[in-house]
Amino acid sequence: MKIILAYSGGLDTSIAIKWLKDKYNAEIICYTTNVGQVEDVKKLSAKAKKTGATKLYFDDLRQKFVDDYVIPSLKAGALYQDKYPLATALSRPLIVEGMVKVARKERADALAHGCTGKGNDQVRFELTTRYLSPELQVIAPVREWEFKSREDEIEYAKKHNIPTPVTKKKPYSIDWNLWGISIECGKLENPWNEPPEDAYQITVSSEKAPAKPEYITIGFEKGVPLSLNGKKMDILKLIERLTKLGGKHGVGRIDMVEDRLVGIKSREIYEAPAAVILHTAHNALEKLVFSRDLFEFKKIVSQRYSQLTYFGQWFSQIKQCLDSFVENSQRFVTGEVRIKLYKGNCIVTGRKSSYSLYSETLATYTEKDLFDHTAAKGFLEIFGLPSKLEGLREK
Ligand code: ARG
């Protein structure tokens, strides 16, 4: 048997190599990606082999992540439960796509992942595998094995000469990619606790943020962010740039209690400066160029889109259909948005577009006003009719 294992080099997936090898009498091939976190590939590869894997595949998927996942989700306005920009959730189907390719090349029988039995990631992993390659088996060692604690795992590692992380266990579980960081466990598990400062990885507190605001202008073309302060910029670079800028001003911290697919409520904090800035700007531009009907209806689509992403249904026909709607909706989402970054806040201070539906001569209260006030009388006669009928009935 041949198994492709999603490998991070951490304790769980290191042990998984040996455990899978023994339990399934299998050859283990590790798979690692770069989705924006920092990783030393050479070290990782050496470690995987030392632990018993025959090889390690490494893919730099950053560009694909941005093009095929991040940008579509931005256009869709996908924020799970109105807040979480879905960084972790979006990366899972991407990683599985890569693993399936390797599995085909290697003629492997199964994919394995290090997700637990109570999280969302197992769902994303397994639904994506089923969709992309229904014939592949999926194995989740962490759900199956006998270890009850980290200590058990370390003991097993020592016994089998598996290199264990030298550093003391960090109090948090952290998932990192270019669209954001997800942080849970430790003190965060009590939702009443304010997140300790050391939980945050890339943003400063608003107290430590500069006392002077910073203004930035983001340009969009058909819903895609393409420039910063008037200068064209590659999207990947733009995201990196906004991550730094936002982080410096304490922008992008999200503290939420969310509903996992398995029914558990969990407290998680996120740092997603670029995602928060871009979603804020994108939404402001849509408000300028969308009709009221489109704006309100797209909210429903955004919500459903975020659920599908969160629940591991990125690959599904309904998601494809929503993508078509979203794509069409972006035809006029071209223009610029000015944002003020200041002490943890991301404030829209201006927006413009050559496709704007905003008309100053209709909105103004000055003598430039072109709105036909006399027309309002007849309009209210008719629009107010149902209210009048109900009012009469109440009497
Ligand atoms: N709650 C987030 C999700 O389901 C992140 C999960 C992973 N979090 C972590 N700290 N490892 O998408």
Side-chain angles (χ1 to χ4, degrees):
M1 184 169 184
K2 225 184 208 184
I3 303 173
I4 315 292
L5 169 69
Y7 177 73
S8 72
L11 184 59
D12 284 344
T13 52
S14 294
I15 288 184
I17 296 178
K18 168 79 181 149
W19 188 88
L20 284 166
K21 221 175 143 176
D22 289 352
K23 167 125 192 205
Y24 293 89
N25 188 21
E27 175 188 347
I28 312 299
I29 294 168
C30 288
Y31 182 75
T32 303
T33 59
N34 178 359
V35 278
Q37 81 290 26
V38 244
E39 215 82 83
D40 185 338
V41 194
K42 275 206 189 110
K43 262 198 195 151
L44 218 54
S45 173
K47 192 173 166 187
K49 283 183 200 146
K50 186 157 184 273
T51 318
T54 45
K55 52 182 132 168
L56 178 131
Y57 279 85
F58 178 82
D59 278 343
D60 183 348
L61 295 180
R62 285 174 304 167
Q63 195 62 47
K64 185 172 167 61
F65 187 41
V66 169
D67 295 342
D68 296 357
Y69 290 85
V70 168
I71 293 302
S73 82
L74 173 66
K75 287 178 180 170
L79 296 168
Y80 183 63
Q81 299 194 321
D82 302 326
K83 282 170 93 169
Y84 166 40
L86 294 158
T88 299
L90 287 163
S91 72
R92 299 316 186 212
L94 168 82
I95 292 168
V96 176
E97 262 195 279
M99 290 180 81
V100 166
K101 268 199 202 124
V102 171
R104 295 222 167 101
K105 185 166 166 225
E106 290 283 344
R107 300 182 171 282
D109 309 282
L111 302 189
H113 61 75
C115 313
T116 75
K118 54 198 264 189
N120 299 309
D121 284 332
Q122 56 176 347
V123 182
R124 299 164 185 153
F125 205 101
E126 297 188 26
L127 265 57
T128 307
T129 310
R130 283 192 169 83
Y131 184 99
L132 294 179
S133 190
E135 70 285 354
L136 274 175
Q137 215 181 309
V138 186
I139 307 172
V142 178
R143 276 194 325 233
E144 287 177 31
W145 64 31
E146 57 281 15
F147 315 120
K148 291 268 172 300
S149 65
R150 197 176 159 82
E151 285 63 43
D152 288 356
E153 292 184 28
I154 291 175
E155 199 180 304
Y156 177 86
K158 290 222 169 97
K159 202 167 118 201
H160 294 101
N161 256 329
I162 299 165
T164 49
V166 273
T167 47
K168 227 175 69 214
K169 180 175 161 42
K170 288 188 214 93
Y172 309 107
S173 155
I174 299 177
D175 182 66
W176 192 308
N177 68 50
L178 59 88
W179 197 228
I181 303 179
S182 310
I183 308 147
E184 56 185 350
C185 301
K187 285 218 172 77
L188 300 169
E189 285 185 354
N190 179 343
W192 179 249
N193 287 342
E194 180 172 355
E197 266 316 302
D198 73 346
Y200 291 106
Q201 312 294 312
I202 53 163
T203 57
V204 301
S205 64
S206 36
E207 289 88 339
K208 291 233 173 83
K212 233 182 96 201
E214 182 161 352
Y215 286 87
I216 56 173
T217 303
I218 298 164
F220 289 87
E221 239 176 272
K222 298 198 167 126
V224 181
L226 288 177
S227 70
L228 180 65
N229 299 330
K231 262 196 246 130
K232 277 242 176 282
M233 202 181 268
D234 168 72
I235 310 169
L236 185 53
K237 280 228 179 66
L238 179 63
I239 291 172
E240 284 166 1
R241 189 88 195 86
L242 291 177
T243 301
K244 289 235 166 67
L245 275 176
K248 178 175 126 195
H249 287 278
V251 167
R253 290 185 171 191
I254 298 162
D255 176 352
M256 72 190 279
V257 170
E258 74 193 40
D259 290 283
R260 287 193 198 153
L261 179 62
V262 296
I264 298 173
K265 281 197 186 290
S266 67
R267 198 287 187 90
E268 183 127 14
I269 61 171
Y270 299 99
E271 292 177 281
V276 166
I277 295 169
L278 288 173
H279 271 291
T280 304
H282 182 259
N283 185 266
L285 190 55
E286 286 190 339
K287 253 183 201 143
L288 193 66
V289 301
F290 276 6
S291 68
R292 174 173 58 198
D293 279 336
L294 181 54
F295 191 79
E296 293 301 330
F297 190 79
K298 183 159 180 270
K299 272 197 221 172
I300 300 170
V301 172
S302 299
Q303 193 192 31
R304 197 70 191 90
Y305 198 102
S306 73
Q307 287 168 353
L308 291 168
T309 306
Y310 191 86
F311 296 163
Q313 294 160 291
W314 181 262
F315 290 103
S316 58
Q317 197 186 355
I318 175 172
K319 208 310 238 102
Q320 286 172 16
C321 294
L322 297 190
D323 271 324
S324 309
F325 172 87
V326 168
E327 197 50 40
N328 194 320
S329 76
Q330 300 300 293
R331 278 170 59 213
F332 299 116
V333 187
T334 295
E336 287 191 315
V337 178
R338 194 189 327 105
I339 297 264
K340 173 159 94 172
L341 304 171
Y342 180 58
K343 290 212 168 277
N345 296 295
C346 167
I347 304 159
V348 175
T349 62
R351 64 293 268 163
K352 65 176 178 194
S353 165
S354 35
Y355 301 115
S356 170
L357 295 178
Y358 184 92
S359 158
E360 207 167 333
T361 50
L362 285 178
T364 184
Y365 286 97
T366 66
E367 67 283 352
K368 284 193 211 130
D369 188 6
L370 291 182
F371 184 79
D372 180 2
H373 289 248
T374 58
K377 190 166 178 276
F379 165 72
L380 279 162
E381 208 53 62
I382 292 167
F383 185 64
L385 196 53
S387 303
K388 187 170 163 188
L389 292 172
E390 280 195 335
L392 286 170
R393 184 177 61 188
E394 288 295 337
K395 276 210 191 123

